[in-house]
Amino acid sequence: MASNLPLPLPPRTPTPPPDDQRASTITSGMPISRDSLSPLKSSFPKGIMEAESRDTLSPTRATFGLGTSPTQNGSGDTPAGPFNFDTAVMAKSPVVKSNIGQRRGHKYKHSSISHQIFLEPPPRAPLALPNSLPIPTLKECRSSMSKDQKTRFWWSLCHMTIAAYTLWTAHGSLAMTSLSHLILFDSLGALLCVAVDVLSNFEVWKRSSIRHPFGLERAEVLAGFAMAVLLLFMGLDLISHNLQHFLEKSGHEPHRPHEHDRVSLGSVDVTAVLAISSTLVSAIGLKNHARIGKAMRFGYIQSLPSVLSNPSHFLTLSCSALLLLLPLVSIRIYDWLDKLLSGTIAFSMCFLGVRLVKTLGSMLLMSYSGPGVSEVIKDIEADPAVIGIDDARFWQVHYGLCMANLKLRVSGTEENLLRLREKTTSLVRNRLGGGYGGGGQKWEVSLQFTIERA
């Protein structure tokens, strides 16, 4: 009986229909056409892409995106479209930033690992020096002037008037022309002294700041350097003027006619008297060129009184005194002495200008050009506690401040090193600064010791 049973057929693997013969029926059994979803066919559902609706939803129409349509549903709502945005009004008040619901980037500083890697620097104390100090204007300087400063200012203008008067009356003497140049230089120095005195009323003049480490006192050095260059050029102008007169007397055609009159015999030259009196008042009352006299010393006139020990005052006063004596000699001798005195003054002005340019130029370059540095170094090396000098720098900041920086290799006890420090400081101040109360420059000495054990 079992052998008569039919054998079951194996399951048949469904085969997909070929590409050219697609299924045309769905589960409901209704036939589906390939073009049934085309809006161009009559079978496409009505009311979706009618002509009026197509015009409303077209981006090329003016009514596109306005949110209104000619057809609305029963509730009055506008049918939703792809670009149906509502108009929004922006608030005029500033937007308040809120951190609620926002997560910012993770800060490594607050992580547990970064506490071991990124350590915050220790807090530092603020700098004692300000970043900058206000520079006074011309109106502030004028309002801060005291009665004495105003008097000195008007006197410096009178000194410049005397210089102009000397030049105006110098047509009869070459020496008087040279004297007028000297008085002009003295009057400019007197005006500079008044300006320095007025600027010292403000804090920016002497107080150090990051922008001006030594205050504005170096501006006085720059002004003095400009005056030194002016003095040098005036001396060269006088030399060329004398050479021109010498060529005229030798028979060459003069560049322009010169007529020199002289003071009558036995008379007193009033211009020379005015020059002497104005120079003495500026030198004693205004301390004119006092800082230049300290920065530049001449051994030949250093032993003279304070007024004559200044090379600028010595040259002006000596020239004025000789001009007082010229009217007492004969006409022939007067002519030769006048030319000789004029040439001497011109060369002296050039020599003084070159010395001033060199001294003040080295001061602007932060170096020291005074004498006595080599002797100070030799005395320091001769001390038994000093093994050697590694570095020694001497430099001048402005007229009233000089600095010495020394690096020494030493050996000995603490008492010997303390004695060496005091000895070196006293040696520099006494040899280079003229000692305490000597009226010289102020010296600040800094020492660095490298102790070598025996």
Side-chain angles (χ1 to χ4, degrees), residues 10-186:
R12 184 178 178 183
T13 303
T15 303
D19 295 337
D20 55 348
Q21 297 179 358
R22 294 182 178 178
S24 60
T25 60
I26 56 176
T27 55
S28 61
M30 297 177 61
I32 296 177
S33 176
R34 180 179 299 176
D35 300 329
S36 60
L37 297 179
S38 176
L40 301 178
K41 297 298 181 179
S42 58
S43 60
F44 189 76
K46 301 297 183 179
I48 299 179
M49 290 298 293
E50 293 182 356
E52 190 173 357
S53 299
R54 288 196 302 268
D55 295 339
T56 304
L57 299 177
S58 176
T60 59
R61 299 297 179 180
T63 58
F64 176 73
L66 296 179
T68 59
S69 177
T71 59
Q72 295 181 349
N73 50 17
S75 61
D77 297 335
T78 303
F83 299 103
N84 187 17
F85 300 113
D86 295 333
T87 304
V89 180
M90 297 183 64
K92 295 183 179 180
S93 60
V95 180
V96 179
K97 185 177 179 181
S98 176
N99 295 329
I100 301 176
Q102 299 179 2
R103 185 176 185 274
R104 310 181 74 176
H106 178 70
K107 294 187 176 181
Y108 298 98
K109 174 182 174 182
H110 300 289
S111 63
S112 59
I113 300 178
S114 62
H115 283 301
Q116 304 175 4
I117 301 176
F118 304 101
L119 299 178
E120 293 186 0
R124 294 186 299 178
L127 295 176
L129 297 178
N131 189 15
S132 62
L133 294 173
I135 298 178
T137 60
L138 184 61
K139 183 178 180 180
E140 294 174 348
C141 292
R142 187 171 52 190
S143 61
S144 67
M145 293 176 64
S146 62
K147 184 178 179 180
D148 180 64
Q149 292 173 351
K150 291 181 180 179
T151 304
R152 297 173 64 185
F153 172 73
W154 289 113
W155 167 249
S156 63
L157 294 183
C158 293
H159 199 171
M160 296 184 70
T161 305
I162 294 175
Y165 175 76
T166 306
L167 182 62
W168 180 62
T169 59
H171 60 277
S173 173
L174 291 176
M176 189 65 69
T177 305
S178 303
L179 179 62
S180 65
H181 288 70
L182 285 176
I183 299 177
L184 177 61
F185 177 73
D186 288 340

Side-chain angles (χ1 to χ4, degrees), residues 4 37 94 119 127 136 176 184 208-209 298 300 311 316 319 327 410 447:
N4 294 331
L37 297 179
L119 299 178
L127 295 176
M176 189 65 69
L184 177 61
S208 301
S209 62
F298 288 90
Y300 300 102
T316 305
C319 177
V410 297
L447 299 174

Side-chain angles (χ1 to χ4, degrees), residues 428-442:
V428 171
R429 290 175 177 174
N430 291 331
R431 293 286 184 87
L432 303 180
Y436 293 98
Q441 295 90 354
K442 177 184 177 182

